[in-house]
Amino acid sequence: MRIATWNVNSVKARLATVLEVLDAIAADVVCLQELKCETDAFPYLELEDHGWTCAVHGQKSYNGVAILSKFPLEDISTEMRTLKDDQARYIEATVLCERPVRVAGVYVPNGNPAPGERYDYKLEWTDALERHAAAMLKDEAPFVICGDYNVIPAPEDCWDDTVWNTDALGLPESRAGLRRLKHLGLTDAFAACDGRAHQYTFWDYQGGAFQKDHGIRIDHVLACPRMTDRLEAAEIYRKARALDKPSDHVPLIATFAD
């Protein structure tokens, strides 16, 4: 079973690229972030024509998350039990495959400029996600939490830590929040399966960042212990960044045993 996460940076503006990449990565479930469209404006028909069942939590012009699945979805929720939020940043559903799994998709706040209200919101949101994940662990159902966490885990996950360690994505408090999630018992799928330094999921559009490989790793699949036992591989689909009209992020795909 292949579960992917991808910040598409406007699903409607990049629909042709989205469909091309989804076909190429051959995932069973994909969590999308930064849809930048309202729920009713999501391109359901085009994606359904490609075999996807869609659960969507949209918002006009900003944010927005979705779960696409080749299997039926049930018990869809668009909020954490630990936070009331008016921004479309969270969605979860049960994927009804042979061994059902709960999949959550997150778009963690960027937090810049830091310090400030936006950074306080990022830390509040991350704390709520930690408490929500702890509750999910107590439920004992298998789950993964996929998405754009807007956190660079460690200096080796960016091209130059001196550039990023004063940014909200690389500040110590941001990194500590992600570590707390892992310390609950969640596994960073890419780190566990690959673990190489300087492997990135995001390159800015400015300054030839992709051509220079000035990237950062901020998109993550975190797996609960039961899913970690089934974890076989993880890969970054870097080719997506070289396509026409690309997102500034690329998909991360984790493979789990059926």
Side-chain angles (χ1 to χ4, degrees):
M1 183 180 187
R2 289 166 62 82
I3 301 177
T5 184
W6 186 23
N7 179 321
V8 294
N9 191 17
S10 183
V11 66
K12 294 180 71 177
R14 306 184 199 284
L15 184 56
T17 301
V18 169
L19 293 174
E20 179 180 351
V21 171
L22 290 177
D23 286 346
I25 64 175
D28 301 292
V29 181
V30 183
C31 293
L32 302 181
Q33 303 88 43
E34 210 169 350
L35 306 178
K36 294 185 178 179
C37 70
E38 293 179 293
T39 302
D40 290 345
F42 187 81
Y44 292 95
L45 291 179
E46 292 87 343
L47 285 156
E48 289 168 357
D49 283 347
H50 282 249
W52 295 105
T53 296
C54 307
V56 181
H57 181 32
Q59 179 179 344
K60 186 177 180 180
S61 302
Y62 299 98
N63 306 321
V65 287
I67 299 173
L68 312 182
S69 175
K70 295 294 187 177
F71 302 97
L73 298 172
E74 73 171 13
D75 193 19
I76 298 164
S77 174
T78 57
E79 62 181 28
M80 293 183 280
R81 61 188 89 175
T82 52
L83 179 70
K84 298 296 182 183
D85 191 11
D86 60 0
Q87 297 192 22
R89 294 184 174 274
Y90 188 86
I91 191 167
E92 68 175 68
T94 299
V95 179
L96 296 178
C97 49
E98 184 174 345
R99 299 168 69 180
V101 57
R102 192 76 176 159
V103 174
V106 301
Y107 180 37
V108 178
N110 177 285
N112 281 303
E117 291 183 2
R118 292 184 179 182
Y119 192 61
D120 293 341
Y121 171 53
K122 178 188 185 75
L123 297 180
E124 176 189 8
W125 209 97
T126 303
D127 181 66
L129 179 60
E130 179 189 351
R131 290 182 279 115
H132 183 70
M136 293 177 77
L137 285 164
K138 289 181 180 178
D139 292 342
E140 297 188 348
F143 69 88
V144 294
I145 303 177
C146 312
D148 178 356
Y149 283 76
N150 268 315
V151 178
I152 302 163
E156 58 267 26
D157 295 305
C158 61
W159 70 276
D160 184 347
D161 196 51
T162 64
V163 173
W164 289 98
N165 62 15
T166 56
D167 187 277
L169 280 62
L171 285 173
E173 296 88 349
S174 302
R175 288 172 169 169
L178 184 60
R179 284 197 302 272
R180 287 196 301 271
L181 269 173
K182 297 176 187 178
H183 289 166
L184 291 173
L186 305 184
T187 297
D188 179 334
F190 183 80
C193 292
D194 188 304
R196 289 175 297 157
H198 304 294
Q199 305 301 305
Y200 309 131
T201 61
F202 170 93
W203 298 261
D204 196 274
Y205 291 125
Q206 305 299 317
F210 182 62
Q211 291 75 16
K212 298 173 183 176
D213 202 24
H214 287 180
I216 55 178
R217 186 170 75 91
I218 55 175
D219 303 272
H220 310 298
V221 173
L222 300 187
C224 76
R226 291 179 64 183
M227 291 300 289
T228 300
D229 288 344
R230 296 167 53 188
L231 181 62
E232 295 182 333
E235 61 188 288
I236 295 170
Y237 189 69
R238 184 185 173 103
K239 291 180 181 179
R241 188 61 176 80
L243 298 176
D244 291 336
K245 207 169 185 180
S247 170
D248 42 9
H249 295 248
V250 297
L252 168 69
I253 310 105
T255 301
F256 299 87
D258 290 337

